[in-house]
């Protein structure tokens, strides 16, 4: 009995120890088990710091702009030469208007932004239109001057850009359009013929001209901060896939309109700007830019008042040179 009691006592002690060990393991099991991702955590949305889910940033800037320059309407002697038969220069001395820039940054994981820039000029007198002609028939040289009144002026570019913030570099591509039109009023002329000279005077509207250019655009700019200012240097290249000129001579009897259809024109637009933040989300800036358009050439269609059309191949051209200065206030949302 003593031996049996000892065995039973040992068995009972072992059983209690086993039960206690199982209980402890059960309590510790959640902390000893391998770490697993919480279902709720894996299903949660990324934080607002993730650029892929942050709200887009919209930046708007507007302000006055001054433009100084001129547009040349060119007529070459033939399709194979650069010798001029006629040149009409329309002045912008100067012209004032408004500029509006809008930039949308979707804040996707890729550093992409979309920018729209629109400049429009107020209709006003912008200087003088000078019309010169050389060796046309019996005319040796002719020159007339008229008051140039700007009727419409708009320039717009829409670009999608990719940026490298660490380098301050941005490259963009898109499309651009420019539309300028003038009217020439009153004035006087001197026409030197082979045998005599004529000096007529003009009253009322004498001539009207419209230049329309449309095509793709490429842009690049580099930005650097220094002394509390942000400085930017940019360059834009435009190709005028469609380039038209409409020249209506209203003082002739009968009237005649010259419709120029050109291609191959390029515009190079360098720019510099400096900006400074006045308050969070509010910035002021000054922009200086130039525009040089060259190499447009095409056909000229002379449309008489009675509907007769005469084609002159390869003699039409157009050039534009201008400088602009704008002062902008920018707001970021």
């Amino acid at each position: 009995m003593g031996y049996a009691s000892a065995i039973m006592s040992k068995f009972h002690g072992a059983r209690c120890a086993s039960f206690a060990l199982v209980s402890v393991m059960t309590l510790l099991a959640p902390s000893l088990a391998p770490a697993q991702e919480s279902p709720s955590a894996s299903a949660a949305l990324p934080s607002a710091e993730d650029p892929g889910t942050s709200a887009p940033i919209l930046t708007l800037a507007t302000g006055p702009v001054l433009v100084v320059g001129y547009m040349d309407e060119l007529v070459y002697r033939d399709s194979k030469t650069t010798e001029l038969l006629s040149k009409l220069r329309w002045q912008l001395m100067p012209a004032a208007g408004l500029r509006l820039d809008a930039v949308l940054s979707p804040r996707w994981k890729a550093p992409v932004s979309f920018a729209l820039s629109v400049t429009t000029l107020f209709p006003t007198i912008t200087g003088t239109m000078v019309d010169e002609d050389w060796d046309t028939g019996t005319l040796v040289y002719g020159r007339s001057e008229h008051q140039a009144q700007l009727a419409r002026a708009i320039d717009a570019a829409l670009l999608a850009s990719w940026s490298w913030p660490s380098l301050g570099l941005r490259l963009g591509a898109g499309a651009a359009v420019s539309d300028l039109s003038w009217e020439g009023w009153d004035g006087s002329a001197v026409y030197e013929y082979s045998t005599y000279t004529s000096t007529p005077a003009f009253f009322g509207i004498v001539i009207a001209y419209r230049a329309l250019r449309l095509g793709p655009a490429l842009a690049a700019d580099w930005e650097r901060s220094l002394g509390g200012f942000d400085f930017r240097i940019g360059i834009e290249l435009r190709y005028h896939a469609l380039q038209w000129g409409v020249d209506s001579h209203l003082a002739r009897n009968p009237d005649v309109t010259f419709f120029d259809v050109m291609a191959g024109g390029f515009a190079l637009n360098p720019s510099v700007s400096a900006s400074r933040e006045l308050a969070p989300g509010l910035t002021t800036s000054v922009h200086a830019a130039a525009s040089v358009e060259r190499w447009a050439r095409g056909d000229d269609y002379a449309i008489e008042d009675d509907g007769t059309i005469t084609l002159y191949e390869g003699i039409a051209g157009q050039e534009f040179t201008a400088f602009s200065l704008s002062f902008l206030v920018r707001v970021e949302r």
Side-chain angles (χ1 to χ4, degrees), residues 46-138:
S47 70
E49 299 301 321
D50 187 340
T53 60
S54 298
I57 297 176
L58 177 62
T59 302
L60 296 175
T62 188
V65 59
L66 288 175
V67 179
V68 176
Y70 57 87
M71 170 161 278
D72 287 340
E73 176 191 359
L74 306 175
V75 181
Y76 296 98
R77 189 160 299 278
D78 57 55
S79 61
K80 295 181 173 59
T81 184
T82 57
E83 181 184 357
L84 289 176
L85 184 68
S86 177
K87 180 176 78 172
L88 294 84
R89 172 163 290 184
W90 299 86
Q91 292 182 344
L92 291 168
M93 295 292 181
L98 288 174
R99 174 175 167 175
L100 172 65
D101 292 349
V103 179
L104 178 64
S105 301
R107 300 187 74 178
W108 299 330
K109 293 189 177 181
V112 177
S113 62
F114 302 91
L116 173 66
S117 181
V118 179
T119 298
T120 182
L121 302 179
F122 304 132
T124 186
I125 297 172
T126 59
T128 303
M129 190 281 284
V130 178
D131 183 358
E132 294 180 282
D133 301 283
W134 295 271
D135 297 322
T136 58
T138 60

XYZ file of all heavy atoms in Angstrom, residues 46-138:
706
model
N -3.736 53.788 -48.544
C -2.449 54.401 -48.216
C -2.665 55.749 -47.543
O -3.700 56.378 -47.704
C -1.781 54.567 -49.591
C -2.469 53.581 -50.462
C -3.875 53.470 -49.955
N -1.671 56.208 -46.848
C -1.784 57.466 -46.128
C -1.783 58.625 -47.101
O -1.418 58.504 -48.261
C -0.623 57.612 -45.146
O 0.580 57.813 -45.863
N -2.164 59.804 -46.587
C -2.221 60.993 -47.433
C -0.836 61.447 -47.873
O -0.706 62.259 -48.773
C -2.919 62.126 -46.667
N 0.211 60.911 -47.232
C 1.563 61.283 -47.629
C 1.991 60.599 -48.918
O 2.963 60.983 -49.548
C 2.557 60.915 -46.512
C 2.293 61.635 -45.203
C 2.368 63.141 -45.379
O 3.237 63.596 -46.131
O 1.567 63.853 -44.760
N 1.261 59.539 -49.324
C 1.577 58.829 -50.551
C 1.205 59.708 -51.734
O 0.045 60.071 -51.899
C 0.785 57.516 -50.589
C 1.201 56.638 -51.766
O 1.786 57.170 -52.727
O 0.939 55.424 -51.701
N 2.157 60.081 -52.605
C 1.835 60.972 -53.723
C 0.851 60.374 -54.691
O 0.252 61.081 -55.473
C 3.193 61.231 -54.384
C 4.033 60.071 -53.978
C 3.571 59.702 -52.604
N 0.672 59.068 -54.640
C -0.284 58.456 -55.551
C -1.730 58.695 -55.154
O -2.631 58.486 -55.945
N -1.963 59.150 -53.903
C -3.338 59.330 -53.454
C -3.599 60.730 -52.935
O -4.703 61.026 -52.524
C -3.663 58.320 -52.338
O -2.765 58.544 -51.248
C -3.520 56.899 -52.835
N -2.602 61.615 -52.945
C -2.796 62.968 -52.453
C -3.680 63.750 -53.418
O -3.741 63.460 -54.608
C -1.452 63.672 -52.298
O -0.651 62.998 -51.353
N -4.356 64.763 -52.885
C -5.211 65.598 -53.726
C -4.354 66.355 -54.732
O -3.235 66.758 -54.434
C -5.982 66.573 -52.846
N -4.854 66.577 -55.964
C -4.074 67.298 -56.971
C -3.840 68.745 -56.555
O -4.622 69.327 -55.802
C -4.948 67.201 -58.226
C -6.325 66.965 -57.709
C -6.154 66.155 -56.459
N -2.761 69.321 -57.061
C -2.416 70.710 -56.786
C -2.738 71.542 -58.026
O -2.299 71.224 -59.121
C -0.930 70.855 -56.423
C -0.613 70.099 -55.139
C -0.560 72.328 -56.261
C 0.863 70.118 -54.785
N -3.517 72.600 -57.850
C -3.863 73.510 -58.937
C -3.235 74.870 -58.650
O -3.460 75.455 -57.592
C -5.373 73.648 -59.086
C -5.846 74.630 -60.163
C -5.383 74.171 -61.547
C -7.362 74.785 -60.125
N -2.440 75.351 -59.585
C -1.788 76.646 -59.448
C -2.297 77.580 -60.542
O -2.290 77.220 -61.714
C -0.261 76.500 -59.574
O 0.209 75.588 -58.579
C 0.417 77.841 -59.379
N -2.754 78.767 -60.148
C -3.245 79.762 -61.083
C -2.415 81.026 -60.938
O -2.117 81.468 -59.818
C -4.720 80.086 -60.822
C -5.722 78.950 -61.024
C -7.112 79.398 -60.612
C -5.733 78.485 -62.473
N -2.023 81.612 -62.070
C -1.252 82.856 -62.071
C -1.798 83.782 -63.150
O -2.136 83.334 -64.252
C 0.227 82.575 -62.314
N -1.892 85.059 -62.832
C -2.386 86.020 -63.814
C -1.769 87.382 -63.545
O -1.316 87.672 -62.432
C -3.928 86.111 -63.777
O -4.369 86.915 -64.875
C -4.403 86.721 -62.472
N -1.766 88.217 -64.586
C -1.217 89.554 -64.443
C -1.052 90.214 -65.796
O -1.290 89.611 -66.850
N -0.624 91.475 -65.791
C -0.467 92.230 -67.041
C 0.775 91.813 -67.807
O 1.757 91.330 -67.236
C -0.360 93.679 -66.558
C 0.236 93.563 -65.183
C -0.339 92.300 -64.599
N 0.738 92.045 -69.127
C 1.870 91.737 -69.996
C 2.027 92.867 -71.005
O 1.035 93.457 -71.469
C 1.670 90.381 -70.715
C 0.403 90.383 -71.548
C 2.874 90.038 -71.568
N 3.269 93.201 -71.308
C 3.609 94.168 -72.348
C 4.410 93.461 -73.434
O 5.335 92.694 -73.128
C 4.425 95.326 -71.781
C 3.696 96.340 -70.898
C 4.696 97.338 -70.326
C 2.618 97.077 -71.689
N 4.068 93.715 -74.698
C 4.739 93.075 -75.829
C 5.229 94.153 -76.787
O 4.478 95.076 -77.147
C 3.800 92.100 -76.572
C 4.525 91.465 -77.752
C 3.281 91.027 -75.625
N 6.481 94.037 -77.207
C 7.076 94.935 -78.187
C 7.640 94.071 -79.319
O 8.356 93.104 -79.062
C 8.200 95.786 -77.568
C 8.874 96.631 -78.636
C 7.648 96.661 -76.465
N 7.304 94.418 -80.564
C 7.838 93.628 -81.664
C 7.205 93.992 -82.985
O 6.657 95.089 -83.159
N 7.247 93.052 -83.924
C 6.672 93.297 -85.243
C 6.468 91.964 -85.964
O 7.109 90.961 -85.647
C 7.587 94.194 -86.090
C 8.977 93.658 -86.280
C 9.276 92.789 -87.329
C 9.999 94.021 -85.412
C 10.560 92.289 -87.509
C 11.282 93.541 -85.587
C 11.559 92.676 -86.627
O 12.830 92.183 -86.794
N 5.566 91.992 -86.925
C 5.358 90.850 -87.825
C 5.581 91.314 -89.253
O 5.085 92.377 -89.648
C 3.964 90.257 -87.669
C 3.635 89.225 -88.742
S 2.263 88.154 -88.293
C 3.115 86.961 -87.251
N 6.324 90.517 -90.013
C 6.589 90.813 -91.412
C 5.810 89.858 -92.307
O 5.917 88.631 -92.165
C 8.080 90.683 -91.731
C 8.900 91.827 -91.151
O 8.306 92.884 -90.852
O 10.123 91.649 -90.983
N 5.046 90.444 -93.211
C 4.396 89.677 -94.276
C 5.284 89.816 -95.510
O 5.537 90.927 -95.982
C 3.003 90.232 -94.547
C 2.289 89.557 -95.696
C 1.047 90.310 -96.102
O 0.726 91.337 -95.484
O 0.411 89.873 -97.083
N 5.774 88.686 -96.028
C 6.791 88.707 -97.082
C 6.254 88.127 -98.389
O 5.512 87.137 -98.382
C 8.018 87.907 -96.640
C 8.644 88.315 -95.290
C 9.764 87.362 -94.922
C 9.144 89.751 -95.328
N 6.671 88.738 -99.478
C 6.377 88.219 -100.812
C 7.708 88.153 -101.568
O 8.364 89.184 -101.801
C 5.384 89.105 -101.582
C 5.107 88.505 -102.964
C 4.088 89.273 -100.801
N 8.137 86.922 -101.914
C 9.404 86.739 -102.620
C 9.200 86.875 -104.133
O 8.094 86.667 -104.657
C 9.989 85.370 -102.284
C 10.338 85.221 -100.823
C 9.467 84.589 -99.942
C 11.533 85.730 -100.320
C 9.774 84.458 -98.590
C 11.850 85.604 -98.970
C 10.961 84.969 -98.108
O 11.268 84.854 -96.783
N 10.283 87.180 -104.812
C 10.176 87.404 -106.256
C 9.793 86.127 -106.996
O 9.036 86.177 -107.986
C 11.491 87.965 -106.796
C 11.413 88.424 -108.237
C 12.527 89.375 -108.573
N 12.499 90.595 -107.760
C 11.712 91.637 -108.030
N 10.896 91.616 -109.076
N 11.748 92.714 -107.266
N 10.306 84.983 -106.556
C 9.891 83.700 -107.116
C 10.126 82.625 -106.060
O 10.614 82.915 -104.962
C 10.627 83.381 -108.429
C 12.140 83.385 -108.262
O 12.647 82.645 -107.390
O 12.819 84.130 -108.999
N 9.802 81.395 -106.396
C 9.858 80.304 -105.423
C 11.270 79.825 -105.115
O 11.468 79.054 -104.185
C 9.028 79.119 -105.926
O 9.552 78.631 -107.158
N 12.264 80.286 -105.887
C 13.623 79.775 -105.732
C 14.587 80.789 -105.137
O 15.771 80.517 -105.016
C 14.156 79.291 -107.085
C 13.409 78.108 -107.666
C 14.019 77.693 -108.986
C 13.416 76.407 -109.520
N 11.971 76.499 -109.724
N 14.110 81.965 -104.784
C 15.000 83.005 -104.297
C 14.502 83.589 -102.988
O 13.337 83.383 -102.604
C 15.118 84.133 -105.342
O 16.050 85.092 -104.885
C 13.777 84.813 -105.537
N 15.397 84.295 -102.305
C 15.016 85.011 -101.087
C 14.914 86.510 -101.341
O 14.739 87.288 -100.401
C 16.042 84.753 -99.965
O 17.344 85.149 -100.425
C 16.060 83.284 -99.575
N 15.034 86.915 -102.606
C 14.881 88.332 -102.955
C 13.419 88.736 -102.780
O 12.505 88.054 -103.254
C 15.330 88.577 -104.397
C 15.228 90.034 -104.815
C 15.592 90.248 -106.277
O 15.987 89.258 -106.940
O 15.463 91.394 -106.756
N 13.208 89.872 -102.133
C 11.847 90.293 -101.822
C 11.240 91.132 -102.935
O 11.895 92.002 -103.522
C 11.832 91.097 -100.518
C 12.081 90.313 -99.230
C 12.121 91.258 -98.035
C 11.022 89.244 -99.025
N 9.975 90.862 -103.196
C 9.172 91.680 -104.086
C 8.365 92.695 -103.277
O 8.150 93.829 -103.702
C 8.230 90.785 -104.894
C 7.369 91.445 -105.957
C 8.239 91.943 -107.101
C 6.316 90.458 -106.471
N 7.943 92.264 -102.040
C 7.139 93.130 -101.197
C 7.306 92.715 -99.737
O 7.512 91.525 -99.435
C 5.657 93.047 -101.597
O 4.852 93.832 -100.746
N 7.244 93.712 -98.844
C 7.281 93.435 -97.407
C 6.343 94.386 -96.690
O 6.410 95.600 -96.891
C 8.695 93.578 -96.837
C 8.771 93.292 -95.339
C 10.201 93.343 -94.810
C 10.663 94.768 -94.623
N 11.986 94.838 -93.936
N 5.488 93.825 -95.848
C 4.590 94.617 -95.019
C 4.949 94.349 -93.561
O 4.915 93.186 -93.122
C 3.122 94.260 -95.271
C 2.549 94.602 -96.663
C 2.875 93.507 -97.669
C 1.039 94.788 -96.563
N 5.308 95.403 -92.839
C 5.689 95.249 -91.427
C 4.609 95.859 -90.538
O 4.305 97.042 -90.620
C 7.032 95.903 -91.149
C 7.400 95.941 -89.669
C 8.868 96.217 -89.467
N 9.663 95.067 -89.901
C 11.006 95.003 -89.752
N 11.660 96.002 -89.182
N 11.663 93.940 -90.169
N 4.074 94.987 -89.628
C 3.055 95.396 -88.667
C 3.708 95.516 -87.297
O 4.250 94.544 -86.780
C 1.927 94.376 -88.630
C 1.202 94.208 -89.936
C 1.539 93.394 -90.970
C 0.018 94.905 -90.325
N 0.635 93.521 -91.988
C -0.315 94.444 -91.625
C -0.797 95.860 -89.731
C -1.434 94.894 -92.321
C -1.912 96.322 -90.415
C -2.222 95.847 -91.689
N 3.636 96.701 -86.717
C 4.333 96.959 -85.467
C 3.478 96.655 -84.236
O 2.256 96.799 -84.245
C 4.775 98.430 -85.397
C 5.843 98.811 -86.389
C 6.270 100.256 -86.225
O 5.584 101.059 -85.581
N 7.404 100.613 -86.817
N 4.194 96.244 -83.163
C 3.648 96.183 -81.798
C 4.554 97.077 -80.953
O 5.571 96.627 -80.438
C 3.670 94.750 -81.271
C 2.732 93.743 -81.916
C 3.083 92.332 -81.476
C 1.282 94.055 -81.558
N 4.172 98.360 -80.791
C 5.074 99.332 -80.168
C 4.402 100.218 -79.111
O 4.220 101.426 -79.345
C 5.686 100.212 -81.256
C 6.565 99.500 -82.212
S 8.078 98.928 -81.386
C 8.946 98.145 -82.729
N 4.120 99.715 -77.921
C 3.974 98.301 -77.561
C 2.492 97.933 -77.565
O 1.640 98.750 -77.920
C 4.525 98.298 -76.130
C 4.061 99.621 -75.578
C 4.076 100.589 -76.746
N 2.209 96.722 -77.137
C 0.833 96.265 -76.946
C 0.709 95.714 -75.533
O 1.616 95.062 -75.026
C 0.472 95.189 -77.966
N -0.412 95.984 -74.884
C -0.648 95.539 -73.510
C -1.761 94.519 -73.479
O -2.648 94.501 -74.340
C -0.995 96.728 -72.620
N -1.698 93.638 -72.486
C -2.737 92.619 -72.361
C -2.658 91.900 -71.033
O -2.099 92.404 -70.052
N -3.226 90.704 -71.016
C -3.266 89.877 -69.814
C -2.711 88.494 -70.121
O -2.877 87.978 -71.233
C -4.697 89.739 -69.284
C -5.326 90.966 -68.638
C -6.785 90.689 -68.313
C -4.570 91.363 -67.376
N -2.084 87.919 -69.105
C -1.577 86.557 -69.206
C -2.196 85.706 -68.105
O -2.346 86.154 -66.966
C -0.051 86.544 -69.087
C 0.554 85.145 -69.030
C 2.060 85.201 -69.041
N 2.644 83.916 -68.689
C 3.951 83.657 -68.713
N 4.799 84.615 -69.083
N 4.417 82.466 -68.372
N -2.547 84.473 -68.450
C -3.098 83.532 -67.486
C -2.370 82.206 -67.619
O -2.286 81.646 -68.707
C -4.602 83.315 -67.720
C -5.264 82.208 -66.887
C -5.226 82.555 -65.399
C -6.691 81.960 -67.343
N -1.825 81.718 -66.508
C -1.160 80.413 -66.459
C -1.906 79.519 -65.476
O -2.260 79.955 -64.374
C 0.295 80.541 -66.000
C 1.167 81.261 -67.019
O 0.690 81.461 -68.155
O 2.298 81.622 -66.677
N -2.119 78.280 -65.863
C -2.739 77.286 -64.985
C -1.929 76.001 -65.055
O -1.629 75.518 -66.151
C -4.190 77.023 -65.388
N -1.559 75.469 -63.892
C -0.771 74.234 -63.827
C -1.495 73.257 -62.905
O -1.822 73.586 -61.760
C 0.657 74.498 -63.295
C 1.425 73.183 -63.221
C 1.375 75.494 -64.173
N -1.745 72.059 -63.411
C -2.378 71.007 -62.630
C -1.373 69.888 -62.409
O -0.855 69.318 -63.367
C -3.614 70.460 -63.353
C -4.347 69.300 -62.650
C -4.928 69.761 -61.323
C -5.435 68.722 -63.554
N -1.097 69.604 -61.138
C -0.204 68.498 -60.769
C -1.039 67.413 -60.116
O -1.451 67.548 -58.958
C 0.881 68.988 -59.804
O 1.634 70.023 -60.383
N -1.355 66.314 -60.834
C -2.225 65.274 -60.279
C -1.646 64.578 -59.051
O -2.362 63.937 -58.304
C -2.383 64.295 -61.450
C -2.015 65.064 -62.662
C -0.978 66.039 -62.215
N -0.318 64.672 -58.850
C 0.375 64.010 -57.748
C 0.239 62.501 -57.832
O 0.033 61.816 -56.836
C -0.112 64.542 -56.391
C 0.109 66.036 -56.221
C -0.218 66.528 -54.851
N 0.801 66.118 -53.892
C 0.779 66.453 -52.604
N -0.214 67.193 -52.133
N 1.731 66.050 -51.787
N 0.323 62.002 -59.064
C 0.468 60.570 -59.253
C 1.865 60.184 -58.764
O 2.666 61.044 -58.391
C 0.307 60.207 -60.732
C -1.034 60.558 -61.283
C -2.220 60.609 -60.610
C -1.331 60.926 -62.641
N -3.239 60.983 -61.445
C -2.728 61.178 -62.699
C -0.569 61.053 -63.794
C -3.371 61.553 -63.863
C -1.202 61.432 -64.970
C -2.581 61.669 -64.999
N 2.161 58.900 -58.793
C 3.492 58.479 -58.383
C 4.550 58.929 -59.380
O 5.713 59.032 -59.052
C 3.528 56.964 -58.182
C 2.671 56.531 -57.003
C 2.851 55.077 -56.647
C 2.028 54.723 -55.410
N 2.193 53.323 -55.014
N 4.126 59.235 -60.609
C 5.040 59.813 -61.598
C 4.955 61.336 -61.508
O 3.866 61.887 -61.344
C 4.655 59.345 -62.998
N 6.077 62.067 -61.617
C 6.091 63.529 -61.485
C 5.602 64.225 -62.754
O 6.362 64.871 -63.478
C 7.556 63.834 -61.191
C 8.301 62.747 -61.893
C 7.441 61.515 -61.781
N 4.313 64.091 -63.044
C 3.721 64.639 -64.260
C 2.865 65.854 -63.909
O 2.216 65.877 -62.867
C 2.866 63.574 -64.975
C 2.182 64.155 -66.201
C 3.727 62.388 -65.376
N 2.877 66.853 -64.789
C 2.009 68.014 -64.616
C 1.495 68.463 -65.979
O 2.064 68.132 -67.021
C 2.754 69.163 -63.929
O 3.848 69.588 -64.717
N 0.398 69.234 -65.952
C -0.222 69.743 -67.171
C -0.344 71.260 -67.034
O -0.853 71.753 -66.020
C -1.590 69.110 -67.400
C -1.548 67.613 -67.478
C -1.725 66.835 -66.336
C -1.302 66.966 -68.678
C -1.670 65.454 -66.390
C -1.246 65.592 -68.746
C -1.433 64.824 -67.598
N 0.131 71.988 -68.047
C 0.174 73.446 -67.963
C -0.502 74.080 -69.171
O -0.298 73.659 -70.311
C 1.623 73.932 -67.866
N -1.311 75.105 -68.900
C -1.959 75.899 -69.941
C -1.548 77.347 -69.738
O -1.700 77.899 -68.642
C -3.475 75.772 -69.864
C -4.272 76.700 -70.794
C -4.031 76.335 -72.252
C -5.758 76.653 -70.465
N -1.006 77.973 -70.782
C -0.616 79.377 -70.722
C -1.302 80.130 -71.858
O -1.207 79.729 -73.022
C 0.911 79.520 -70.841
O 1.292 80.874 -70.755
N -2.018 81.201 -71.504
C -2.765 81.984 -72.493
C -2.407 83.458 -72.316
O -2.455 83.990 -71.202
C -4.286 81.801 -72.338
C -5.032 82.641 -73.368
C -4.669 80.333 -72.465
N -2.042 84.098 -73.413
C -1.781 85.535 -73.426
C -2.689 86.188 -74.463
O -2.754 85.721 -75.604
C -0.320 85.845 -73.767
O 0.534 85.282 -72.763
C -0.082 87.344 -73.835
N -3.379 87.240 -74.059
C -4.224 87.967 -74.995
C -3.914 89.452 -74.882
O -3.636 89.960 -73.788
C -5.721 87.711 -74.720
O -6.517 88.405 -75.683
C -6.109 88.151 -73.325
N -3.908 90.142 -76.011
C -3.593 91.571 -76.053
C -4.844 92.382 -76.356
O -5.731 91.930 -77.092
C -2.526 91.848 -77.109
C -1.199 91.101 -76.943
C -0.249 91.456 -78.082
C -0.564 91.398 -75.595
N -4.904 93.582 -75.771
C -6.062 94.444 -75.964
C -6.032 95.073 -77.356
O -4.961 95.495 -77.827
C -6.090 95.553 -74.913
C -6.070 95.056 -73.498
C -5.198 95.601 -72.574
C -6.919 94.040 -73.093
C -5.175 95.164 -71.267
C -6.914 93.579 -71.785
C -6.040 94.141 -70.873
N -7.175 95.182 -78.031
C -7.229 95.901 -79.310
C -6.874 97.367 -79.099
O -7.469 98.055 -78.270
C -8.691 95.737 -79.741
C -9.193 94.539 -78.992
C -8.471 94.554 -77.682
N -5.893 97.845 -79.830
C -5.431 99.223 -79.667
C -4.524 99.590 -80.833
O -4.162 98.734 -81.649
C -4.660 99.379 -78.338
O -4.345 100.755 -78.153
C -3.378 98.570 -78.355
N -4.152 100.858 -80.917
C -3.186 101.295 -81.916
C -1.799 100.860 -81.464
O -1.385 101.128 -80.332
C -3.236 102.822 -82.084
C -4.615 103.247 -82.606
C -2.142 103.300 -83.034
C -4.827 104.750 -82.623
N -1.078 100.136 -82.304
C 0.207 99.563 -81.897
C 1.373 100.087 -82.730
O 2.430 99.474 -82.764
C 0.161 98.028 -82.008
O -0.130 97.657 -83.364
C -0.873 97.444 -81.067
N 1.187 101.213 -83.402
C 2.287 101.772 -84.182
C 1.902 101.986 -85.635
O 0.781 102.398 -85.941
N 2.825 101.652 -86.516
C 2.673 101.918 -87.939
C 2.824 100.637 -88.747
O 3.626 99.771 -88.401
C 3.726 102.936 -88.410
O 3.601 104.124 -87.634
C 3.551 103.278 -89.875
N 2.025 100.541 -89.800
C 2.230 99.478 -90.778
C 2.925 100.095 -91.990
O 2.453 101.093 -92.554
C 0.905 98.847 -91.197
C 1.086 97.570 -92.045
S 1.497 97.861 -93.777
C -0.081 98.346 -94.435
N 4.064 99.522 -92.376
C 4.830 100.022 -93.513
C 4.790 98.978 -94.617
O 5.150 97.817 -94.411
C 6.288 100.326 -93.115
C 7.071 100.799 -94.338
C 6.338 101.368 -92.000
N 4.366 99.387 -95.802
C 4.255 98.507 -96.974
C 5.276 98.962 -98.008
O 5.216 100.108 -98.493
C 2.833 98.576 -97.530
C 2.628 97.633 -98.711
O 3.584 96.951 -99.127
O 1.495 97.578 -99.232
N 6.229 98.064 -98.355
C 7.261 98.400 -99.332
C 7.205 97.430 -100.511
O 6.988 96.227 -100.320
C 8.647 98.341 -98.693
C 8.874 99.390 -97.612
C 10.261 99.288 -97.022
O 10.474 98.381 -96.188
O 11.136 100.105 -97.400
N 7.425 97.953 -101.697
C 7.441 97.150 -102.924
C 8.648 97.532 -103.766
O 9.029 98.709 -103.816
C 6.157 97.370 -103.738
C 4.910 97.012 -102.957
O 4.617 95.818 -102.820
O 4.243 97.947 -102.448
N 9.236 96.520 -104.467
C 10.426 96.755 -105.277
C 10.241 96.176 -106.689
O 9.881 94.998 -106.843
C 11.646 96.088 -104.656
C 12.046 96.654 -103.324
C 12.906 97.693 -103.099
C 11.621 96.206 -102.039
N 13.034 97.921 -101.758
C 12.256 97.016 -101.074
C 10.748 95.193 -101.606
C 12.052 96.871 -99.706
C 10.540 95.036 -100.247
C 11.200 95.879 -99.299
N 10.479 97.003 -107.693
C 10.563 96.549 -109.087
C 9.395 95.644 -109.489
O 9.568 94.487 -109.868
C 11.875 95.806 -109.323
C 13.078 96.713 -109.106
O 13.001 97.896 -109.476
O 14.076 96.228 -108.528
N 8.192 96.191 -109.377
C 7.010 95.449 -109.825
C 6.422 96.194 -111.031
O 5.806 97.253 -110.874
C 5.962 95.354 -108.702
O 5.599 96.670 -108.278
C 6.514 94.586 -107.532
N 6.631 95.634 -112.210
C 6.178 96.301 -113.423
C 6.966 97.583 -113.648
O 8.198 97.584 -113.640
N 6.239 98.694 -113.787
C 6.914 99.988 -113.973
C 7.243 100.668 -112.650
O 7.890 101.725 -112.634
C 6.021 100.926 -114.808
O 4.778 101.132 -114.135
C 5.775 100.338 -116.193
